[in-house]
Amino acid sequence: MKTQRRFPPSSTARTDLTPTLEGVIAVVRSRHPDSDAGLLERAYVEASIWHAGQRRRSGDPYITHCLAVAAIVAELRMPPPVVCAALLHDVEDTACPPQRIADQLGQEVADLIAAVRTAVVSAHPQTGEGAMLASDAAAPSWETAVLAIRLADRLHNMRTIAFVAPARRLLKARETLDVFAPAASAVGLETVGRELQDLASAVLQPAVSSYAVTGRLLTVLTLLLPSQQRARWQEEWSADLAALTTRRARTRFTLHVLLGAPRLSMTLRRPASQEQR
């Protein structure tokens, strides 16, 4: 019986739950007790240097994506060099000198980064490719390490796909459903495969009726608020709703607003003099 992996929680909202470097190191050490935390710390410093000033479409610092990918790779029981490569998987898009990573972190990390950039993910991996992802062995093959980083990168990108332009969103979702989700399942990562499939399906087959219903309900709820406050809260709630890509998330958010609307209304209507007491 295959053991199901646990991954950082999915979120289509801003990256409030972005893993920390300390958390990533803790996960790596739980799998590899003798690992050198210093290597991971140096990789993080390099990623921070070369991605400084860069932001994702969500507005979050780009380093949050690097940490999220590294956290997923760490949960896949990958050793420190692979997690380092995950932290730096996009460094080739920066002004980082070609030899810099090899000099600072070793040739293995540099070669892994280069391989991730050129690797082609297949929906049907060759027999044995990526098999280590479904086991507890400590020495993954080269192909396994590269595949782990590619899957982690795609998983986090799909979790935050709400911020991508609609046309590109559809293209990435179709590729995820056709290639990445089957590839994850084929190497024993059913949990990753299912999440990729769910996220891609939500983009390709959005619950339009559910979105419309929840949107109308939020509009009705603004009637509970003071008239001068309605436009502001409707805009804020609509923006939060638009960032959610699944029916479950939209329903949960709408229920949260529904339960909190009466108290919000009372707070907004409370005289300022009363609030100061």
Side-chain angles (χ1 to χ4, degrees), residues 126-177:
Q126 297 178 2
T127 303
E129 182 178 329
M132 301 289 289
L133 293 176
S135 72
D136 293 328
S141 68
W142 186 263
E143 293 79 7
T144 295
V146 172
L147 181 59
I149 298 173
R150 288 297 305 274
L151 288 173
D153 179 48
R154 179 54 60 102
L155 180 56
H156 186 248
N157 281 335
M158 289 302 299
R159 288 174 176 176
T160 56
I161 201 169
F163 300 102
V164 176
R168 184 169 176 80
R169 192 186 311 165
L170 292 173
L171 181 65
K172 289 296 182 182
R174 173 51 60 190
E175 182 184 43
T176 298
L177 195 63

Side-chain angles (χ1 to χ4, degrees), residues 51-188:
H51 290 298
Q54 295 182 353
R55 291 192 173 272
R56 306 199 80 210
R57 291 182 178 87
S58 63
D60 293 322
Y62 200 88
I63 192 65
T64 60
H65 172 65
C66 303
L67 278 167
V69 173
I72 296 172
V73 170
E75 289 287 348
L76 293 177
R77 304 176 183 271
M78 292 293 111
V82 184
V83 180
C84 289
L87 276 167
L88 291 158
H89 71 281
D90 280 335
V91 76
E92 292 188 354
D93 291 334
T94 73
C96 179
Q99 190 60 30
R100 168 84 179 189
I101 301 303
D103 292 342
Q104 296 295 318
L105 300 166
Q107 193 62 46
E108 180 183 4
V109 174
D111 290 344
L112 274 170
I113 295 170
V116 168
R117 301 288 293 183
T118 59
V120 176
V121 177
S122 170
H124 305 287
Q126 297 178 2
T127 303
E129 182 178 329
M132 301 289 289
L133 293 176
S135 72
D136 293 328
S141 68
W142 186 263
E143 293 79 7
T144 295
V146 172
L147 181 59
I149 298 173
R150 288 297 305 274
L151 288 173
D153 179 48
R154 179 54 60 102
L155 180 56
H156 186 248
N157 281 335
M158 289 302 299
R159 288 174 176 176
T160 56
I161 201 169
F163 300 102
V164 176
R168 184 169 176 80
R169 192 186 311 165
L170 292 173
L171 181 65
K172 289 296 182 182
R174 173 51 60 190
E175 182 184 43
T176 298
L177 195 63
D178 292 345
V179 179
F180 283 82
S185 298
V187 296

Side-chain angles (χ1 to χ4, degrees), residues 221-244:
L221 287 175
T222 62
L223 298 177
L224 298 174
L225 310 179
S227 57
Q228 66 272 21
Q229 298 280 354
R230 291 172 187 170
R232 172 207 163 185
W233 284 98
Q234 181 171 357
E235 180 180 356
E236 184 170 327
W237 288 341
S238 297
D240 289 340
L241 185 67
L244 304 175

Side-chain angles (χ1 to χ4, degrees), residues 213-227 229-231 233-234 237 250-266 268-269:
V213 169
T214 53
R216 286 196 296 269
L217 179 56
L218 290 177
T219 300
V220 171
L221 287 175
T222 62
L223 298 177
L224 298 174
L225 310 179
S227 57
Q229 298 280 354
R230 291 172 187 170
W233 284 98
Q234 181 171 357
W237 288 341
R250 287 192 293 271
T251 301
R252 186 167 53 245
F253 173 77
T254 305
L255 180 61
H256 174 75
V257 173
L258 176 63
L259 295 176
R263 176 173 296 181
L264 175 62
S265 177
M266 293 176 59
L268 295 176
R269 296 177 189 277

